[in-house]
């Protein structure tokens, strides 16, 4: 905070600091405090709000513990979000390494531009593109039928479609942190490992990945959080058997009319996601300062 005042002076620094504090209070603290308040209070008609029944309790949160279907979807969402993060890492790591260590500046600029341009389009439209691609009579089935890999069209919607859509939707959130981390690795270290006879796998395991662990952890955190809180991809690409926990939260708010229970479900999802993220950072020995960078 002191750097702001040194750079911009007392007056302008005060304005910037005040704007940041207002933004934090209005966009971060207020919504979350309101969500906690709703989650701990019962769903009552307007006339009963503030009355004897309007007391704080854990009943809305405990309701989730007693709902077998909702609880199963909740843990499935957490597990599947971790799977999305892992698949996205597997897809992005080779690309990031090639861009950072082997590609020419022109190749890097061209590939990054090609990856970035589709993300100028709205997420809903990008997900609808996957909806068309994975359709029963869509391009994917037509291509696989034409080359003889399948004998009949496959229904890709469901868990497969949701995973594919999410990996595509959040690929840049994994790619850029890993690319930035590997870019700072001196090529001489990789060359020295090769000269000493290290295999490709050993070089990546002992040199590249340890150096890039902050970027990898950052990408996994971003991707996991975005996947766990996603609604568009499960709603458009999912099937009745592949419901996401965010869909249940949506139903409580907009179909069930029970904002208190919806807030409780959202609070549980937020808390467990934070726990998973903190545990991941602890296991990777990366602190929040490294993630912020």
């Amino acid at each position: 905070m002191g750097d702001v005042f040194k750079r911009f002076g007392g007056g302008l620094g005060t304005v910037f600091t005040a704007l940041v504090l207002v933004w934090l209070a209005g966009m971060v603290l207020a919504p979350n405090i309101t969500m906690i308040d709703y989650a701990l209070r019962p769903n009552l008609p307007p006339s009963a709000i503030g009355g004897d029944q309007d007391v704080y309790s854990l009943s809305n949160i405990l309701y989730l513990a007693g709902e077998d279907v909702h609880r199963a979807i909740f843990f499935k969402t957490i597990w599947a979000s971790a799977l999305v993060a892992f698949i996205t890492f597997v897809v992005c790591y080779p690309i990031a390494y090639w861009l950072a260590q082997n590609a020419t500046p022109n190749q890097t600029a061209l590939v990054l531009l090609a990856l970035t341009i589709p993300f100028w389009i709205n997420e809903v439209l990008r997900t609808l593109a996957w909806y068309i691609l994975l359709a029963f009579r869509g391009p994917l089935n037509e291509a696989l039928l034409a080359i003889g890999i399948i004998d009949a069209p496959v229904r890709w919607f469901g868990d497969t479609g949701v995973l594919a859509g999410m990996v595509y939707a959040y690929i840049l959130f994994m790619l850029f942190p890993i690319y930035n981390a590997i870019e700072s690795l001196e090529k001489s270290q990789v060359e020295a490992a090769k000269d000493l006879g290290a295999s490709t796998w050993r070089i990546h395991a002992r040199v590249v990945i340890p150096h890039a662990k902050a970027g990898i952890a950052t990408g996994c955190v971003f991707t996991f959080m975005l996947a766990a809180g996603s609604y568009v991809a499960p709603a458009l690409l999912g099937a009745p058997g592949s419901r996401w926990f965010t869909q249940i939260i949506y139903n409580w708010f907009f179909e069930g009319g029970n904002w208190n229970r919806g807030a409780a479900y959202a609070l549980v999802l937020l808390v467990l996601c934070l726990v998973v993220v903190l545990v991941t950072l602890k296991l990777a020995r990366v602190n929040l300062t490294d993630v912020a960078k």
Side-chain angles (χ1 to χ4, degrees):
M1 198 67 71
D3 294 336
V4 175
F5 290 102
K6 290 180 181 179
R7 183 174 181 181
F8 298 104
L12 200 55
T14 301
V15 172
F16 286 155
T17 302
L19 290 174
V20 171
L21 292 176
V22 169
W23 182 84
L24 288 173
M27 301 300 292
V28 179
L29 291 178
N32 283 284
I33 291 174
T34 303
M35 180 179 67
I36 294 172
D37 179 64
Y38 268 79
L40 298 178
R41 292 166 62 182
N43 183 41
L44 300 172
S47 59
I49 294 177
D52 296 337
Q53 294 178 306
D54 193 6
V55 295
Y56 289 107
S57 70
L58 297 176
S59 59
N60 289 316
I61 297 174
L62 294 177
Y63 182 87
L64 171 61
E67 276 286 331
D68 294 339
V69 175
H70 291 182
R71 191 173 65 252
I73 294 175
F74 172 73
F75 286 112
K76 174 202 166 182
T77 298
I78 298 299
W79 176 86
S81 298
L83 181 60
V84 169
F86 175 75
I87 295 174
T88 309
F89 166 72
V90 171
V91 172
C92 290
Y93 180 81
I95 301 174
Y97 179 80
W98 178 77
L99 289 173
Q101 294 291 316
N102 299 323
T104 64
N106 288 337
Q107 289 174 330
T108 300
L110 183 62
V111 171
L112 292 180
L113 185 64
L115 289 171
T116 304
I117 286 177
F119 286 81
W120 295 350
I121 304 172
N122 184 275
E123 182 181 357
V124 176
L125 298 179
R126 285 188 277 113
T127 306
L128 285 173
W130 274 96
Y131 183 88
I132 295 172
L133 179 67
L134 300 176
F136 192 67
R137 294 294 181 183
L140 179 60
N141 275 325
E142 293 294 338
L144 294 177
L145 286 169
I147 60 180
I149 294 181
I150 59 176
D151 298 324
V154 177
R155 296 192 180 277
W156 299 103
F157 296 120
D159 292 334
T160 302
V162 172
L163 291 176
M166 285 190 177
V167 169
Y168 174 74
Y170 306 131
I171 189 170
L172 293 185
F173 294 93
M174 181 70 75
L175 178 65
F176 283 134
I178 299 177
Y179 166 72
N180 290 333
I182 297 179
E183 191 179 28
S184 64
L185 175 65
E186 292 290 339
K187 294 182 180 180
S188 59
Q189 297 185 41
V190 177
E191 294 298 329
K194 290 180 180 178
D195 293 340
L196 292 172
S199 64
T200 301
W201 289 105
R202 193 174 183 84
I203 291 172
H204 285 278
R206 293 295 185 89
V207 179
V208 182
I209 291 180
H211 177 84
K213 66 178 182 178
I216 294 171
T218 301
C220 290
V221 166
F222 284 167
T223 306
F224 174 82
M225 293 292 285
L226 289 169
S230 177
Y231 177 79
V232 174
L236 294 179
L237 302 176
S242 60
R243 296 184 70 195
W244 218 251
F245 195 67
T246 48
Q247 293 175 282
I248 299 177
I249 296 173
Y250 178 92
N251 291 339
W252 278 125
F253 273 98
F254 298 103
E255 295 181 10
N258 193 333
W259 288 23
N260 301 84
R261 192 154 290 163
Y265 276 38
L267 180 62
V268 172
L269 179 62
L270 173 63
V271 170
L272 189 57
C273 283
L274 289 176
V275 170
V276 171
V277 167
L278 293 176
V279 170
T280 301
L281 295 179
K282 184 69 174 178
L283 293 175
R285 296 181 180 178
V286 175
N287 55 44
L288 291 176
T289 304
D290 295 327
V291 173
K293 294 178 181 179

